[in-house]
Amino acid sequence: MAGLQYLTGFGNEFASEDLRCPGALPDGQNNPQVCPYGLYAEQLSGSAFTCPRPANKRSWLYRILPSVCHKPFTAMHHDNLTDNWDEVEPDPNQLRWLPFIIPKASEKKVDFVMGLHTVCGAGDAKARNGIAIHIYTCNTSMIDRCFQNSDGDLLIVPQQGGILVTTEFGKMMVEPNEICVIQQGMRFSVDVYGETRGYILEVYGAHFELPDLGPIGANGLANPRDFLVPVAWYDNHPVSSGYTIINKYQGKLFSAQQDFSPFNVVAWHGNYTPYKYNLENFMVINSVAFDHADPSIFTVLTAKSTRPGVAIADFVIFPPRWGVADHTFRPPYYHRNCMSEFMGLIRGHYEAKEEGFQPGGGSLHSMMTPHGPDADCFEKNSSAILKPERVAEGTMAFMFESSFSMAVTRWGLDTCQRLDKSYYKCWEQLKSHFNPNWRPSSK
Ligand SMILES: [Fe+2]
């Protein structure tokens, strides 16, 4: 949406007032006896009060009415949202999904919340340690209802259709090839403009951070100034038919009614906010001599575990770039990984999977399950004349990589292609390379 304004920076101490109410932010204190315009002060904590300063997250919201003015929460049914990781038996096989089907509005109107489907995950929202991966497919805007995730942060990756995300902090337009992060507890509503699809990485118990850069230095990868934060915007229209707050709490949905919009924040300040980022701003660093840098070089955001260097989940992208490595097999190599890898494709063709991996689909390579380029990719790139070339032009693939051993859900298993039936054929050709007469002298 043209005309939306944003603040810039990652995790800054921001301050914003709706232009209709200048001076709405209290001067010099957070919680005056009487706030300007008779607003109510409300703190939203994103970390324990006693967290060290670099990890301490909170914002102060100045609202027309406080959030507490709602009727009790009651349980709400949802067909495909779950945190039950024991729905199906463990299966280490590679899984691949065709583009997730978007319902037709003419057949059934589905909004962002009702269009959520949990694919896989691990861990425990109650213990505040874990991950869930969801798909959203929808065709209708959320009307007089909003969502809040009490369980963790949501990193949203639109794949088809832009989403207008209205939050307590203001509005963000997020198009495909951009991402947004709605942190734990922040209320938001999603408007869509047609058939809409995307991916969500949810983490329990940690917030996303920019990765440390080590010897790269002070600049590079996702630069902090490219992150955009909404500006304060309030809605004070009466909602005579009732406004529904949907709360995901311990993996289950609950709803509560109130008679006003939750987007009634006139001014706010703090360092705990939603934000968005355009993936085209990612500064790619890669090998300029030979061999591969590890894919961690493509990390946009990381949600750290308590173990040094080990993430609950990393958000990693494979953007267009130059490939210049000499005497090197340039596509991703064959590997087995101590992490779980869920991949999605926003647009284009992923270099290591020439067939069968389409925008809007996905794949799951579980912990230590072998994977790598298909036979066509191997053949082509083993004999390619190496010269500087553009790689992944017009493509944006991404990976949610997790140190958790993720389990697929019933819905995930019902909708995937079982690779033992169809997919392994793309490696059949490699098997023909087996030479029973191979000897060391064959070099
Ligand atoms: Fe991999």
Side-chain angles (χ1 to χ4, degrees):
M1 175 178 281
L4 289 181
Q5 302 290 310
Y6 298 96
L7 307 167
T8 62
F10 188 87
N12 292 358
E13 283 286 344
F14 297 103
S16 184
E17 295 176 344
D18 189 305
L19 294 177
R20 291 170 285 178
C21 294
L25 278 173
D27 197 16
Q29 67 176 119
N30 293 323
N31 195 23
Q33 186 173 21
V34 178
C35 291
Y37 299 98
L39 298 169
Y40 291 84
E42 182 176 296
Q43 183 175 205
L44 180 64
S45 297
S47 62
F49 295 133
T50 47
C51 271
R53 275 189 182 269
N56 207 304
K57 303 287 182 189
R58 59 84 188 90
S59 284
W60 281 90
L61 308 163
Y62 299 93
R63 6 188 23 129
I64 298 167
L65 276 175
S67 301
V68 71
C69 297
H70 66 83
K71 293 175 180 166
F73 285 107
T74 57
M76 177 180 168
H77 177 74
H78 195 293
D79 286 333
N80 295 305
L81 196 62
T82 184
D83 70 342
N84 178 0
W85 312 127
D86 297 315
E87 288 183 337
V88 297
E89 289 295 308
D91 181 354
N93 281 304
Q94 295 186 33
L95 301 176
R96 185 174 287 191
W97 288 266
L98 290 169
F100 296 96
I101 294 170
I102 309 173
K104 302 284 183 196
S106 57
E107 296 172 3
K108 185 180 183 184
K109 290 192 173 179
V110 178
D111 70 13
F112 176 85
V113 172
M114 298 320 289
L116 291 169
H117 300 77
T118 308
V119 180
C120 54
D124 188 349
K126 293 193 281 286
R128 315 297 305 121
N129 192 22
I131 172 178
I133 293 174
H134 314 281
I135 301 296
Y136 66 90
T137 52
C138 52
N139 53 40
T140 302
S141 296
M142 294 170 67
I143 307 293
D144 291 341
R145 48 203 249 141
C146 74
F147 186 52
Q148 118 179 10
N149 183 18
S150 300
D151 293 336
D153 289 15
L154 302 174
L155 188 159
I156 301 174
V157 184
Q159 186 274 320
Q160 177 176 320
I163 54 174
L164 175 63
V165 185
T166 301
T167 77
E168 294 170 281
F169 296 77
K171 292 171 176 277
M172 299 185 290
M173 187 69 211
V174 191
E175 301 282 358
N177 226 39
E178 296 182 312
I179 59 147
C180 68
V181 173
I182 310 292
Q183 305 196 69
Q184 183 190 15
M186 296 173 179
R187 293 178 172 178
F188 69 103
S189 179
V190 175
D191 284 10
V192 301
Y193 304 92
E195 294 181 359
T196 303
R197 176 172 54 207
Y199 309 82
I200 299 177
L201 169 59
E202 177 182 9
V203 293
Y204 315 136
H207 296 303
F208 289 100
E209 310 173 29
L210 292 169
D212 292 326
L213 293 181
I216 292 173
N219 305 287
L221 308 189
N223 284 309
R225 70 190 294 253
D226 294 325
F227 286 80
L228 302 179
V229 171
V231 296
W233 175 86
Y234 72 85
D235 173 13
N236 194 31
H237 292 94
V239 189
S240 55
S241 56
Y243 198 103
T244 303
I245 310 292
I246 302 171
N247 179 8
K248 186 165 89 67
Y249 171 76
Q250 295 187 358
K252 303 290 188 295
L253 292 192
F254 297 83
S255 69
Q257 295 293 311
Q258 60 186 44
D259 53 12
F260 60 96
S261 166
F263 306 121
N264 62 351
V265 176
V266 176
W268 59 266
H269 77 85
N271 62 354
Y272 189 56
T273 72
Y275 55 87
K276 73 168 205 166
Y277 175 72
N278 188 333
L279 302 178
E280 290 184 10
N281 288 325
F282 188 81
M283 177 199 171
V284 183
I285 288 177
N286 210 343
S287 167
V288 291
F290 59 87
D291 282 353
H292 284 253
D294 289 317
S296 47
I297 205 78
F298 299 123
T299 302
V300 180
L301 290 167
T302 183
K304 294 177 177 174
S305 77
T306 53
R307 289 175 288 164
V310 179
I312 294 174
D314 288 328
F315 174 60
V316 179
I317 61 172
F318 303 96
R321 57 199 184 273
W322 282 97
V324 299
D326 286 324
H327 47 82
T328 295
F329 182 80
R330 288 181 178 172
Y333 41 77
Y334 295 102
H335 59 286
R336 294 179 294 151
N337 191 352
C338 68
M339 308 276 275
S340 304
E341 304 177 13
F342 178 91
M343 284 200 62
L345 188 59
I346 298 170
R347 64 189 188 192
H349 304 276
Y350 181 56
E351 57 204 292
K353 299 173 186 173
E354 307 246 328
E355 291 180 14
F357 187 53
Q358 300 171 32
S363 71
L364 177 63
H365 294 149
S366 292
M367 202 161 273
M368 289 300 179
T369 294
H371 56 284
D374 62 29
D376 286 346
C377 175
F378 181 82
E379 295 288 344
K380 196 163 77 179
N381 287 280
S382 298
S383 57
I385 297 170
L386 297 179
K387 54 188 178 185
E389 61 176 351
R390 291 291 291 170
V391 176
E393 202 69 84
T395 291
M396 188 63 79
F398 70 89
M399 178 163 63
F400 298 150
E401 186 176 38
S402 176
S403 61
F404 279 77
S405 187
M406 288 196 284
V408 70
T409 62
R410 166 56 62 194
W411 182 85
L413 200 60
D414 286 347
T415 54
C416 78
Q417 296 172 285
R418 298 277 211 142
L419 301 193
D420 51 354
K421 289 181 184 164
S422 61
Y423 180 55
Y424 279 115
K425 73 176 189 291
C426 71
W427 285 290
E428 286 295 319
Q429 198 179 333
L430 289 179
K431 294 179 189 170
S432 68
H433 292 190
F434 176 66
N435 177 5
N437 300 316
W438 182 89
R439 298 290 182 273
S441 59
S442 299
K443 183 180 180 184

